[in-house]
Amino acid sequence: MPTVRSGPVIGLSAQLVVLAALAATVGLSMAGWLAGAGYAAFTCLALSRGLHLSGASRLGPADRVTLARAVLVGAVTALVVDSFGHPTPVRLLVALSAVALLLDAVDGQVARRTGTVSALGARFDMEVDAFLILVLGVYVAPAAGSWVLAIGAMRYAFVAASAVLPWLRGTLPPRYWRKVVAAAQGVLLTVAAARVLPEPWTTVVLVTALALLVESFGRDVAWLWRRRPAPRRSHPLPVAAITAPPPITPIAAPVAVPLLALGGHTPVVVPPLLPVPTPALAARSGGTVHSDWRP
């Protein structure tokens, strides 16, 4: 097996082992199995493709930490899908989410200390974070309200909008506040999922999470809008640059005008006084008119 695929396949195998452990301990329905296995298979394929496109031969140290986080997120995904048909062990779900969030602070430090910071690693880390927020939002929404789904769907809505609006695909400058807001989403949603707060306070926590997210996305969208490329406009040619049609040059075309014979002489030809257009004359005489001539 090529080295470039060993890391993603190891992650897929670890995910299946974790799902089997969940099924043996707390129970896992077929829907939960399919959700967790489907997530793992998609992660394996996407990560393999990312490694191939980046030219990397293997996962870096920080990428392995992120892969461990991805396995935990897959377990959370299976439990959340299973919760729609069976009671879910909330403590286990919260514990898995908390560990995944704690490891989010580890992979970045590992990448910086080992000098293995890469675009692939940053993208992998971001996708794992985004999916965990989406899954936690799905779990909290039935009790708190469907509006909570906006927290998890906002990042994916931004990606979908960038496919239609090219100016949204611009490169954003690094901003520490953006990282703080992203981390806060997972923490606040985990607190809401734990159900340790009274319902009004849980609503306050979720509203705060959504408000922070709207502010962060709104600032980025405004920054990209102000720096969007100017639309191309077709400037009309100045009047002086417009080529006027060639003027009609009066010529004296010989036309036979019969005159009365005087004293037995033959008729004579005299020139007319009316102008005749040159192109018309050329056409009548079998000549060629230039192609850029306009009537």
Side-chain angles (χ1 to χ4, degrees):
M1 180 179 298
T3 305
V4 70
R5 296 182 180 179
S6 62
V9 171
I10 291 174
L12 175 61
S13 302
Q15 185 72 80
L16 296 178
V17 171
V18 170
L19 293 176
L22 290 176
T25 54
V26 300
L28 202 61
S29 65
M30 182 59 65
W33 260 105
L34 292 176
Y39 163 83
F42 181 83
T43 302
C44 178
L45 293 175
L47 188 56
S48 297
R49 184 174 184 272
L51 286 170
H52 175 72
L53 293 177
S54 64
S57 59
R58 61 178 61 87
L59 293 175
D63 298 331
R64 298 190 189 103
V65 177
T66 307
L67 184 60
R69 293 180 54 231
V71 172
L72 295 175
V73 173
V76 173
T77 302
L79 291 175
V80 169
V81 173
D82 194 62
S83 68
F84 291 104
H86 304 84
T88 301
V90 179
R91 292 183 180 179
L92 178 59
L93 187 148
V94 171
L96 292 173
S97 301
V99 175
L101 292 172
L102 289 175
L103 289 178
D104 188 23
V106 174
D107 54 6
Q109 294 181 3
V110 172
R112 288 187 291 271
R113 290 182 180 181
T114 58
T116 55
V117 177
S118 65
L120 174 63
R123 179 65 182 272
F124 186 27
D125 179 71
M126 180 180 62
E127 295 297 342
V128 172
D129 289 340
F131 195 77
L132 177 60
I133 293 172
L134 175 64
V135 171
L136 290 175
V138 171
Y139 178 73
V140 174
S146 58
W147 61 271
V148 178
L149 295 174
I151 298 176
M154 191 169 298
R155 190 256 171 182
Y156 296 98
F158 180 85
V159 173
S162 64
V164 181
L165 303 173
W167 57 270
L168 286 175
R169 296 195 290 267
T171 302
L172 290 166
R175 186 157 54 91
Y176 182 74
W177 177 247
R178 188 186 299 118
K179 299 180 180 180
V180 172
V181 172
Q185 302 305 306
V187 173
L188 295 176
L189 283 171
T190 301
V191 171
R195 301 172 183 173
V196 295
L197 298 176
E199 184 175 348
W201 284 104
T202 300
T203 302
V204 171
V205 167
L206 295 173
V207 169
T208 301
L210 182 59
L212 290 174
L213 200 61
V214 169
E215 185 276 335
S216 181
F217 270 95
R219 185 186 299 187
D220 288 343
V221 170
W223 191 92
L224 292 171
W225 169 260
R226 290 193 298 267
R227 288 158 180 81
R228 70 192 187 280
R232 296 181 179 179
R233 298 179 180 178
S234 56
H235 299 281
L237 293 175
V239 178
I242 300 176
T243 304
I248 298 175
T249 305
I251 64 170
V255 178
V257 179
L259 298 179
L260 295 177
L262 298 178
H265 295 283
T266 60
V268 297
V269 176
V270 297
L273 299 179
L274 297 177
V276 180
T278 303
L281 178 61
R284 293 175 185 174
S285 61
T288 304
V289 180
H290 199 271
S291 61
D292 63 358
W293 180 83
R294 295 292 182 268

